Structure formats: C-alpha cells, structure tokens
Amino acid sequence: MHVGLWHYLALSLILFSIGLYGTLSKRNAIVVLMCIELMLNAANIALVAFSRYVTPALLTGQVFAIFVMVVAAAEAAVALAIIIAI
C-alpha cells in the first residue's frame, strides 16, 4: 500500500482537531499548552507533506517546519514562565 499525500493530510487533520478540541474545552493551562503544541505539530506534518509531494527538490516545507518548532519552543518557555510566576 502506497502512503500518499492524503494520508499525511488526514493524520494532520486528526491531530489538529484533537488539539483544537483540547484547547477549547480544557481549563488547565498545562493541558491547553500541550494541545497548542499538538496543533503546531499537525501543521508541521502538513507542511512537510506538501513539500515532499509538491516540490520534492526544494526544502521549503522543512525550513518552515523548523521555524514553527522554534516559535513553539519560545511559546512554551514564555507560557510556562508566566504560569510559574502566577
């Protein structure tokens, strides 16, 4: 069985939906942060999948995914510092 672009996008959609549900329904700040990280990782999967299947010679999806990971790490650090300060 060949794993195509649709499979990666379906996985990304499922992970993003789980993260969105958790973000909107939970009241615990740590759980909300984890759900936001899940949503960002779902976006990374979609970026890398599109990059792989649309323009395989270029690494634009991987570069954007690295930027998203950097932003996610900074967001987690700042949010945890705010939570600890409160």
Side-chain angles (χ1 to χ4, degrees):
M1 182 175 170
H2 177 68
V3 178
L5 178 62
W6 166 247
H7 294 94
Y8 290 112
L9 294 180
L11 174 66
S12 177
L13 176 68
I14 291 168
L15 288 176
F16 192 86
S17 299
I18 293 170
L20 185 64
Y21 173 75
T23 302
L24 296 176
S25 66
K26 302 298 180 186
R27 297 181 63 87
N28 187 355
I30 301 296
V31 175
V32 170
L33 287 175
M34 288 174 31
C35 290
I36 291 172
E37 295 290 331
L38 189 63
M39 290 169 35
L40 290 172
N41 285 326
N44 281 342
I45 290 172
L47 285 170
V48 172
F50 273 122
S51 176
R52 168 71 174 92
Y53 284 96
V54 176
T55 57
L58 301 176
L59 297 176
T60 53
Q62 288 85 345
V63 171
F64 281 126
I66 289 173
F67 283 134
V68 170
M69 283 189 257
V70 169
V71 169
E75 172 260 333
V78 169
L80 288 175
I82 291 171
I83 290 170
I84 290 173
I86 291 175

